[in-house]
Amino acid sequence: MPSARGFEYWFGGIDFNATPEASASADQHAGQPPEAGGHHVDHQADEVGPSNNDQQAQSRAQTGVTLSSEESDGEAEVESTPEGYVPKVPFVGMFFGSPELALQHYNRYARHIGFSVKIESSRRCAKDGELDKYVLVCNKSGKPREEEAIPVKQRNRKLTVLTNCKAKLRVKRDGARWKVTQFVEKHTHEVIDKFALKKYLRSHNKIPAEEKKFTNLLHEVNLTSGRIMEIMGELYGSKQNVPYNNKTVSNYTAKLGNYDRIKDIPELLEYFEEIKKDDPRFFYRFKLDAKNKVENLFWVDSKARDVYPLYNDCISFDTTFMANQYSMPCAPFIGIYRCGQSIQLGCGFVRNESSVNFVWLFERFLEAMDGLHPLNIITDQDAGIRTAILMVFIGIIHRFCRWHIMQKVQEKLGTFVAKSEDLRLEFNDVIDYSMTPEEFEQRWANMVERHAVADNTHFLDLYHLREYFVPAYFRHRLFPFLQTTSRSEGFNVVLKQYVHPHDSLVHFFKQYMKL
């Protein structure tokens, strides 16, 4: 198991080749405290010069290491602090190579002491329009709010108790450098001493920029925020040592989903075109609605198109799995390969489960398969699917999932049938052991007459569906090993291991192609 020390080497900074010692060295060169007794300080030694370590630190600062104000919702960037590193106490006359380095150093100092930081103000130069001053203060600065009687006992976690704290750091631009012109160290409140609690302070409860890359990787393989935190806890040595919490990771991954949603469809279509360069027979189609948004989508690769003519005997089709952030039903076409193995024969998404969308999907399936119809298809009892099959797959055998039908029988007739054991036994026998449609019709008529259930609406509904689920009607058609849509549901189980219901279409497709 990697040690905490090894973890910090791994995440020592944005440059993965930089060591913690180099990072610490960069901050040490950021400035030196005045000598005791008021001796002269050589400010040339405080300047961030062109050394390798300093260039690495400046490079890291330029990646956007900034702090948000207490009231801001902007995402702040922080960096990992090397183990055992104690930031130097700022002092007037201390120099930094950039404002980002100054902000980063003061935030590290604040974490070490046990308080949170916010930007009180900044100023741009009237001559060149560039920033020339930052004022960083303790997040408890400001006049205390007047106490109000709040009847609701719910805790407001976003409310910070102000104590008029005067602790601050002010830096101003001095040529190409930034100089500390004011530093107030004393606080008017108690600071946080316990290390495990410091990560809950606003300016420190952030994921370091270098660790975001690793978090992105874990998110792409469908790990939840809880599992990501468990992994980080192992790498840090303990969950208490992780400088952020589960909620921070959850919020960050949610923002990843929002970003993916913006670029999702264009990126997916570009990805399709890239695949077509290596696989010319890769097939995809999409349908736009009146607002020029993707309404339906279908794709199938060349391997599935090649084997389909050999294994078009039976297809399982099911749309019960919602597989993306748009809540669009996922519609995979599952066939049966030799030795009873399931094979993927294409996949689609539809805006909703209307017959119009299913007609479009089935027509695109036939287009991809050169117009060759499946011989049999098994689905659930969705009315939209049933209508679309009658319109597109003309003349094929359509069968309903028997498991779903029997579940509904149990819900609607369970109590009634339980009162008559003879009815229950005869009901199962008529369905399972009638060898021909004629035999089923005769035995069903005798059963409903004998048990006086001819007028029962639930039995009437089952009788009207007899051609879709009673085996006698499929005796001469091949449904190998199939009475339910379990093939599709089994595929959905596999999908859930790789895809989160709130994932983007791009992520879904990439994971789908790995199966």
Side-chain angles (χ1 to χ4, degrees), residues 21-31 48 53-54 56-58 60 101:
E21 288 76 12
S23 178
S25 176
D27 279 330
Q28 290 172 355
H29 283 291
V48 177
N53 289 341
D54 298 334
Q56 290 176 0
Q58 186 172 0
R60 288 196 297 272
L101 278 175

Side-chain angles (χ1 to χ4, degrees), residues 375-432:
L375 301 180
N376 310 281
I377 189 169
I378 185 168
T379 71
D380 59 22
Q381 294 174 255
D382 185 87
I385 296 177
R386 179 181 177 183
T387 301
I389 288 175
L390 291 173
M391 296 175 63
V392 180
F393 296 143
I394 301 173
I396 74 168
I397 297 298
H398 180 199
R399 183 173 182 177
F400 287 158
C401 173
R402 177 173 173 174
W403 184 87
H404 286 97
I405 291 177
M406 290 306 176
Q407 282 294 106
K408 290 185 177 180
V409 169
Q410 181 66 27
E411 294 174 4
K412 297 177 180 180
L413 293 172
T415 304
F416 177 76
V417 175
K419 299 177 182 179
S420 175
E421 181 67 12
D422 292 339
L423 175 58
R424 185 186 68 82
L425 294 174
E426 187 172 358
F427 173 80
N428 291 329
D429 189 71
V430 169
I431 292 177
D432 292 335

